[in-house]
Amino acid sequence: MATTWFSFFLSLLLLLHGNFAQQRYQQQYGQQCQINRLNPQEPSFRMQAEAGVTEFFDTNNQQFQCAGVSLFRHVIQSRGLLLPSYTNSPLLAYVVQETGRGFYGIMNSGCPETFQSSQQTQQRIRGRTFQDRHQKIEQFRQGDIMAFPAGAAHWLYNEGNEEVVLVVLEDASNNANQLDQTSRRFFIAGNPQQGQQQQGSQYGGSTMRREQFRSGNVFNGFDIEILSEAFGVDRETARRLQGQDDMRGHIVSVQEGLRVIRPPFSQEQDSQQEQGQYGRGPMTNGIEETICTAKVRENIDNPARADIYNPRAGRLSTVNSFTLPILSFLRLSAARGVLYRNSMMAPHWYENAHSIIYITRGESRIQIVDHRGRAVLDDQVREGQCLVVPQNYAIVKQAGNEGCEWIAFNTNDNAMINTLSGRTSAIRGLPLDVIANAYQISRDEARRLKFNRDETLIFRSTRRSPRSYERVIGLVDEANSTSIA
């Protein structure tokens, strides 16, 4: 009997705790999604460093507050090194720049140092033979999505001759973050606060500050004697760890190029495809299998891997926890969209995620409608701008004359789309009589409404302009032959 009462009170306590937690969440964040108007956003704050710049979108904006995310853009010059750091929230990064390439590393404590130099490449330092070894390094190229878990230190280097442009999403509302709704970056090298800060002169004078790039590295707060003892080095080396005299900012230039142990790009890529999610090397315990060798990168720019493809209209490629399993831990996913000129993406909504859209090329007319049936956005969104589509808000895109390309970050590892028109839409699933009576139209009109579109999500334009028939045929042929990488 006592056991029964104990179980009852324990269940009641858990239920009340869940209700209180939900109420606390609604009180703290519920008002932030009362959006009456959405606007395309541009960067409002920038941190200039020696070898690049980071541009931030205003996280104080209502739509970012609603989604609980922040967005920024790294522009890294040739031979630029983004210094090692870790964050309190998971990240998704997309490589925008067409000629961008380089490599990066993610450090997880306890993982083996699987990359090591051979005897032929050993160095002699102070009369002793030294063989370098470190954790795995991966290379990236244009079109890659890269996943960085919360708390995992990472760095990135641009080895190409052109700038690398990365668009990065931070999900501060993720359950991995137990601090607050603010993204924090902890640098473990350099002195990021020495970077030149510029505010809003180009985009209207935002007062937003990004504290995560305006502070020193974590070693700066420790006593020099403690650091000297912890690393077994002299005081001068310990002082250098703190980076107090480093004026280069958070992206530094490596004049001689970065010399690290790594396989050729093509071999590394083939190895990933053969091994799938996990490596086939020797395993000593479960940690190496699930964390240390997990695949963290997927290229979604290749038209051959498109999930939805219309040769006359465009394509959509997604990456989620099924194609990149680490996303199940980050609870994030992404989609890469390409629309040819004047083509349309069917009206749709995400039933379980906010979607943060960044336009990478061209422009598109975008309309977003809320639960009251009001258009909270009806605007041309162009390259370099972004916007947040709140969960369940309906959205439609129609590309301009130059087409449109975008990357969308979604706040669910398996974001699910529902469409309002097309072969798999909600309208297609309704009986004819339901459609006829719901919209007060005839059965013939209901039949046309239901069956006129056989495509699933991406439609080619059916509009006819006064231009000659030959010109229209030329546009169709151009769309068919266009290859947008």
Side-chain angles (χ1 to χ4, degrees):
M1 184 68 175
T3 303
T4 303
W5 277 106
F6 176 77
S7 300
F8 170 76
F9 282 115
L10 180 61
S11 301
L12 181 61
L13 179 63
L14 292 174
L15 178 63
L16 291 175
H17 176 75
N19 288 336
F20 290 149
Q22 183 179 9
Q23 291 175 6
R24 185 168 61 250
Y25 177 87
Q26 291 175 345
Q27 290 172 359
Q28 186 174 1
Y29 307 117
Q31 296 302 316
Q32 295 177 355
C33 280
Q34 301 300 317
I35 293 176
N36 296 317
R37 186 68 183 170
L38 293 171
N39 294 291
Q41 298 296 304
E42 296 184 352
S44 57
F45 176 70
R46 54 190 282 138
M47 285 290 294
Q48 182 71 49
E50 178 187 50
V53 63
T54 299
E55 301 171 312
F56 300 95
F57 293 84
D58 188 357
T59 54
N60 293 325
N61 183 273
Q62 188 181 28
Q63 52 189 305
F64 289 110
Q65 292 286 326
C66 171
V69 301
S70 58
L71 193 72
F72 56 90
R73 184 169 60 205
H74 288 309
V75 181
I76 304 175
Q77 298 171 7
S78 176
R79 296 187 178 182
L81 172 66
L82 179 63
L83 293 176
S85 64
Y86 60 92
T87 61
N88 63 325
S89 52
L91 312 178
L92 275 187
Y94 176 74
V95 186
V96 177
Q97 188 75 18
E98 187 172 344
T99 57
R101 64 186 179 91
F103 50 88
Y104 65 97
I106 300 177
M107 290 78 72
N108 288 295
S109 295
C111 291
E113 298 166 334
T114 56
F115 283 32
Q116 60 185 18
S117 57
S118 63
Q119 293 182 352
Q120 287 78 14
T121 58
Q122 290 180 0
Q123 304 177 32
R124 293 188 64 84
I125 299 177
R126 296 180 181 178
R128 300 174 59 185
T129 301
F130 172 74
Q131 184 180 23
D132 191 21
R133 55 183 179 267
H134 50 73
Q135 291 188 21
K136 182 178 179 181
I137 288 176
E138 293 196 26
Q139 294 179 294
F140 67 82
R141 59 190 174 93
Q142 194 271 336
D144 278 346
I145 283 283
M146 297 177 287
F148 299 94
H154 55 275
W155 56 271
L156 187 141
Y157 176 70
N158 175 15
E159 67 171 345
N161 296 323
E162 305 293 335
E163 290 181 338
V164 162
V165 179
L166 297 172
V167 176
V168 184
L169 176 93
E170 291 181 328
D171 184 13
S173 61
N174 194 279
N175 63 347
N177 174 25
Q178 298 188 21
L179 294 175
D180 52 30
Q181 292 292 295
T182 301
S183 294
R184 290 179 170 85
R185 182 174 294 271
F186 300 80
F187 279 91
I188 58 177
N191 192 10
Q193 64 185 344
Q194 293 302 323
Q196 181 181 358
Q197 304 161 31
Q198 302 174 11
Q199 275 190 271
S201 59
Q202 184 176 358
Y203 303 111
S206 168
T207 60
M208 186 265 293
R209 292 285 192 271
R210 292 309 301 256
E211 296 296 333
Q212 59 171 303
F213 284 85
R214 298 184 62 222
S215 57
N217 74 60
V218 294
F219 292 124
N220 188 56
F222 289 114
D223 181 79
I224 289 182
E225 294 292 343
I226 294 293
L227 290 177
S228 176
E229 181 67 22
F231 284 93
V233 296
D234 56 39
R235 286 175 53 88
E236 176 59 23
T237 302
R239 188 184 67 82
R240 294 242 173 211
L241 281 176
Q242 295 181 328
Q244 295 180 359
D245 300 327
D246 193 339
M247 307 297 292
R248 299 173 298 172
H250 61 290
I251 305 174
V252 303
S253 178
V254 183
Q255 296 295 334
E256 302 299 324
L258 203 62
R259 293 176 292 179
V260 298
I261 306 158
R262 58 191 175 95
F265 183 48
S266 59
Q267 294 182 16
E268 185 260 354
Q269 208 173 13
D270 293 341
S271 175
Q272 278 195 342
Q273 292 174 355
E274 292 173 0
Q275 294 179 16
Q277 178 188 359
Y278 307 121
R280 292 181 178 176
M283 301 296 179
T284 59
N285 59 41
I287 295 179
E288 280 83 4
E289 183 178 15
T290 58
I291 297 177
C292 300
T293 59
K295 184 180 177 183
V296 298
R297 176 177 59 85
E298 176 80 10
N299 191 281
I300 59 173
D301 257 17
N302 186 356
R305 78 172 298 283
D307 298 297
I308 297 173
Y309 178 68
N310 185 329
R312 294 188 175 186
R315 66 180 187 271
L316 184 73
S317 303
T318 61
V319 56
N320 54 34
S321 58
F322 296 106
T323 53
L324 192 61
I326 195 173
L327 294 180
S328 64
F329 296 99
L330 275 61
R331 296 189 176 181
L332 295 170
S333 59
R336 169 69 166 157
V338 174
L339 286 178
Y340 302 151
R341 66 170 68 202
N342 301 324
S343 295
M344 174 182 291
M345 190 170 181
H348 63 278
W349 75 93
Y350 279 102
E351 67 177 56
N352 59 349
H354 301 302
S355 187
I356 298 85
I357 299 173
Y358 176 87
I359 305 298
T360 61
R361 182 181 172 187
E363 65 176 6
S364 176
R365 181 186 179 187
I366 297 180
Q367 290 185 302
I368 300 175
V369 178
D370 66 7
H371 63 287
R372 300 182 181 90
R374 299 183 304 184
V376 294
L377 174 74
D378 185 357
D379 205 346
Q380 292 289 128
V381 186
R382 63 180 186 274
E383 179 178 339
Q385 293 183 323
C386 77
L387 57 90
V388 175
V389 185
Q391 178 187 5
N392 290 319
Y393 280 44
I395 176 175
V396 64
K397 304 185 187 81
Q398 185 165 29
N401 290 329
E402 297 181 357
C404 182
E405 301 179 16
W406 70 90
I407 182 71
F409 301 103
N410 301 316
T411 58
N412 191 296
D413 60 288
N414 187 23
M416 301 177 66
I417 286 182
N418 284 320
T419 55
L420 288 166
S421 65
R423 182 163 51 85
T424 59
S425 67
I427 297 296
R428 191 69 170 257
L430 292 173
L432 278 179
D433 271 12
V434 172
I435 297 175
N437 284 278
Y439 298 108
Q440 301 184 68
I441 57 179
S442 68
R443 286 178 58 86
D444 286 341
E445 291 172 322
R447 185 177 294 106
R448 287 192 293 271
L449 182 68
K450 181 175 180 176
F451 294 107
N452 267 4
R453 282 293 188 184
D454 287 329
E455 303 96 328
T456 55
L457 187 62
I458 297 176
F459 307 155
R460 69 182 181 90
S461 176
T462 58
R463 295 183 304 173
R464 291 290 181 267
S465 67
R467 291 172 295 185
S468 67
Y469 176 79
E470 289 79 13
R471 176 56 178 158
V472 173
I473 293 299
L475 293 178
V476 174
D477 291 340
E478 180 181 350
N480 283 333
S481 61
T482 300
S483 176
I484 306 177

